[in-house]
Amino acid sequence: MREIAISTRRSFEIIDITGEINKAVKEECEEKGVSEGVAFVFALHATCALTICESADPGMMHDLENKLKELFPKGAGYEHDRIDGNAHAHLVNSFLKPSLVVPVKNGELLLGTWQAIVLVEADGPRKRRIVVEVIG
Ligand code: ZN
């Protein structure tokens, strides 16, 4: 299992982490002597999420950010906000999920042409820990 760290810079931010995940997958495959299987990717947090988004057009990342903010607005009278004011971020985490399973072929991620793995930061800035396990 590999662990990678991603430092986010804004309170809400969507970051393409495909390169970092693929590097970890390649190392995992070499270490385990496998070239095919699946990569399990998991963020060890309750206020960010992982998903897959079209990456060629930066506007699409903005569209995703705007839609998530519309669906889960900050401070919309949530019960949890009485405790620490970040219920909107927990909702993003629960609805998108903190994990992904992606196929692995030839020792690297098998993604469609326009697919990128993105980290959705919903309560930053923070240092985020993500683990990657290749199951061959
Ligand atoms: Zn909280």
Side-chain angles (χ1 to χ4, degrees):
M1 185 180 294
R2 289 279 185 293
E3 181 173 324
I4 61 173
I6 304 288
S7 293
T8 63
R9 293 184 179 146
R10 293 188 280 127
S11 59
F12 200 109
E13 186 174 14
I14 298 178
I15 305 171
D16 184 342
I17 58 167
T18 311
E20 287 91 337
I21 302 297
N22 205 31
K23 181 172 178 284
V25 165
K26 286 177 181 174
E27 290 169 0
E28 275 275 287
C29 284
E30 274 184 31
E31 186 180 293
K32 293 180 171 174
V34 299
S35 61
E36 253 183 62
V38 292
F40 178 65
V41 187
F42 187 85
L44 298 161
H45 303 279
T47 54
C48 67
L50 298 173
T51 191
I52 289 179
C53 185
E54 116 91 82
S55 60
D57 172 21
M60 191 55 236
M61 302 270 215
H62 297 147
D63 290 335
L64 178 59
E65 177 171 342
N66 291 336
K67 180 53 71 176
L68 289 170
K69 285 177 172 173
E70 178 191 322
L71 290 171
F72 310 109
K74 194 172 183 176
Y78 308 111
E79 285 189 33
H80 180 72
D81 282 350
R82 290 178 302 190
I83 297 172
D84 64 5
N86 62 359
H88 65 286
H90 293 304
L91 289 170
V92 169
N93 174 273
S94 289
F95 276 77
L96 287 184
K97 303 302 176 199
S99 65
L100 290 171
V101 175
V102 181
V104 171
K105 190 177 179 187
N106 298 324
E108 61 180 14
L109 292 168
L110 178 61
L111 290 166
T113 306
W114 310 110
Q115 289 181 306
I117 296 175
V118 298
L119 169 68
V120 179
E121 173 61 79
D123 192 28
R126 288 174 193 263
K127 187 177 176 187
R128 298 303 194 175
R129 297 168 60 202
I130 299 168
V131 293
V132 179
E133 172 82 20
V134 171
I135 302 156

